[in-house]
Amino acid sequence: MSQPRLTRLRQAMETKGLEAMFITSAVNRRYLSGFTGSAGYVVITKDRAVLMTDFRYTMQASEQASEFEVVEHALRMTDTLKQLLAEMNINRLGFEQDHVTYSTYTSYQEQLQPVELVPVSGIIEDLRMIKDADELAVMRQAAQLADKTFSHILNFIKPGVSEKELALEMEFFMRKNGATSSSFDTIVASGERSALPHGVASDRIIQGNEFIKFDFGALYQGYCSDLTRTVVLGKPSEKHHEIYNIVLEAQLKALERIRPGMTGREADAIARDVIKGYGYGDNFGHSLGHGLGMEIHEYPRLAHTSDQVLTPGMTVTVEPGIYLPGFGGVRIEDDIVITDNGIEIITQSTKQLLVLDM
Ligand code: GLY
Ligand code: MN
Ligand code: MN
């Protein structure tokens, strides 16, 4: 499955002057090898791809990681690694500095000497930013499942039900329809709580004449979706309409203008300028979006701090919001793919303000 990924990794290793790379992140291990088990280590050199795991997983690893040599490692993994490195004449080993604790690093250093450990940041995360056709196909399905979940939950929103009950129904629906789990703790934030940008579902009882903000997604075949919609149960006030329409305008404008070649900062500014123009700049206190894939938050960021250039194959969220303490808040979030000449929006749920009967 992953030969192009290994080829791309080897090219990146060559650019960095690395003869071998040791991968300890579970997500990166899965990305490269296809192995979904909870324990394992990957070693990549110019001509070898080795997956070390323990007795519990050797059979599964051989089935899933068909392009890797699967090695059952000793009780102390570094004993096997050291032997392998000696066999291959490796003296410098790149390791994922963002995924190793200091104490693990010191024990590797001690146990692998005289091999030199070279800290490397983001080498696989950079590859993961650009999704291949197989990944995009799965991400479209993950997005579709989020859309279906939103349609499903609309039937359950009634005064008297709690946020947690709604979140549980969403989780149940996603799993019944093929998700491994939700892609993060489901946010159902109603009434004043909707002003909490990340108000994870609570025991609050839905009352009516208030916003309910849903932000959720499915982890489906290893990939995340991330969808936010805000609805009103009962009668919306002018203020509800006002802030909903501003967020919608900001989101639609961003979707209309985002294109390859633009930086994350430029994308963020499109929506932020709209919201600022209406005087609510201080109430949009997070960035416009983030990369999405095997993890819920990846690179690139659509943020005023991001110089990353948007490139075809990147998958990002577009999620402006306005949050008014004591009143409530609105966010509208879609998942998009950067294409050769624009974007493809892969979440499809309606963005007209849904006003639900009590
Ligand atoms: N709830 C995670 C996010 O939208 O970024
Ligand atoms: Mn979200
Ligand atoms: Mn998001």
Side-chain angles (χ1 to χ4, degrees):
M1 81 173 262
S2 41
Q3 200 56 43
R5 295 180 195 175
L6 288 181
T7 306
R8 288 165 71 213
L9 175 59
R10 287 181 171 125
Q11 281 162 357
M13 286 166 57
E14 201 175 327
T15 310
K16 289 182 191 290
L18 287 168
E19 51 183 352
M21 186 71 209
F22 178 49
I23 289 124
T24 51
S25 141
V27 172
N28 290 341
R29 176 175 74 233
R30 178 172 180 174
Y31 175 75
L32 291 175
S33 71
F35 172 56
T36 59
S38 68
Y41 305 86
V42 161
V43 180
I44 305 292
T45 66
K46 216 185 270 181
D47 43 23
R48 288 181 70 176
V50 180
L51 172 59
M52 296 186 293
T53 188
D54 63 64
F55 175 80
R56 295 169 300 169
Y57 284 124
T58 46
M59 234 188 300
Q60 180 184 335
S62 302
E63 279 167 20
Q64 292 181 322
S66 52
E67 290 171 52
F68 280 65
E69 302 166 48
V70 174
V71 171
E72 183 180 332
H73 66 66
L75 206 54
R76 200 164 78 154
M77 176 278 296
T78 45
D79 291 343
T80 309
L81 177 58
K82 189 169 179 175
Q83 202 181 334
L84 198 64
L85 297 174
E87 229 175 75
M88 299 192 284
N89 243 330
I90 301 289
N91 305 311
R92 291 176 78 244
L93 179 65
F95 75 99
E96 297 182 287
Q97 66 176 49
D98 303 318
H99 301 293
V100 175
T101 62
Y102 185 69
S103 58
T104 302
Y105 168 71
T106 48
S107 65
Y108 286 166
Q109 208 176 27
E110 204 177 282
Q111 290 161 17
L112 295 176
Q113 59 182 323
V115 170
E116 181 195 348
L117 288 171
V118 182
V120 177
S121 183
I123 189 167
I124 296 154
E125 286 79 355
D126 283 352
L127 304 181
R128 279 175 37 205
M129 270 199 297
I130 310 290
K131 273 70 182 176
D132 62 32
D134 291 347
E135 292 181 289
L136 290 177
V138 174
M139 290 196 68
R140 286 187 195 99
Q141 288 178 287
Q144 210 174 65
L145 181 48
D147 283 327
K148 277 193 194 156
T149 305
F150 181 62
S151 301
H152 175 76
I153 204 61
L154 291 176
N155 304 312
F156 291 80
I157 305 171
K158 293 279 178 268
V161 72
S162 75
E163 293 173 353
K164 271 188 189 163
E165 284 168 314
L166 293 176
L168 195 62
E169 181 60 37
M170 294 164 82
E171 172 102 20
F172 188 64
F173 182 85
M174 286 192 276
R175 293 183 68 166
K176 246 182 23 190
N177 286 279
T180 307
S181 64
S182 53
S183 54
F184 57 92
D185 288 344
T186 296
I187 291 170
V188 179
S190 59
E192 290 184 11
R193 288 193 81 248
S194 60
L196 299 171
H198 272 196
V200 168
S202 76
D203 290 320
R204 185 181 187 276
I205 303 294
I206 308 288
Q207 291 168 14
N209 305 323
E210 60 188 11
F211 278 137
I212 311 169
K213 186 176 74 223
F214 295 91
D215 180 358
F216 62 98
L219 176 64
Y220 182 81
Q221 292 180 20
Y223 286 80
C224 299
S225 52
D226 188 7
L227 176 71
T228 306
R229 289 294 185 267
T230 308
V231 305
V232 170
L233 173 66
K235 194 170 162 38
S237 66
E238 294 225 335
K239 195 80 181 163
H240 287 118
H241 280 295
E242 180 202 347
I243 69 166
Y244 191 91
N245 288 337
I246 297 169
V247 173
L248 182 60
E249 183 182 331
Q251 210 249 4
L252 292 176
K253 193 162 180 188
L255 293 176
E256 191 188 301
R257 304 228 172 141
I258 290 175
R259 57 178 192 283
M262 184 176 267
T263 63
R265 177 203 323 272
E266 288 166 335
D268 179 88
I270 302 168
R272 196 165 303 282
D273 287 349
V274 172
I275 292 175
K276 268 190 198 159
Y278 286 100
Y280 288 108
D282 291 343
N283 303 96
F284 175 26
H286 57 75
S287 52
L288 179 64
H290 53 87
L292 182 71
M294 297 180 83
E295 291 177 289
I296 187 69
H297 295 136
E298 300 189 353
Y299 289 102
R301 306 288 193 215
L302 305 188
H304 75 280
T305 47
S306 173
D307 294 321
Q308 187 90 48
V309 174
L310 301 182
T311 308
M314 288 179 173
T315 315
V316 295
T317 66
V318 177
E319 49 177 308
I322 294 179
Y323 311 92
L324 305 179
F327 175 75
V330 175
R331 180 166 60 253
I332 302 173
E333 175 177 31
D334 282 312
D335 304 340
I336 68 170
V337 184
I338 307 294
T339 62
D340 288 337
N341 39 29
I343 63 166
E344 174 192 344
I345 306 173
I346 61 172
T347 41
Q348 312 273 330
S349 296
T350 182
K351 286 184 281 201
Q352 289 315 306
L353 176 60
L354 290 179
V355 175
L356 308 174
D357 288 339
M358 298 241 281

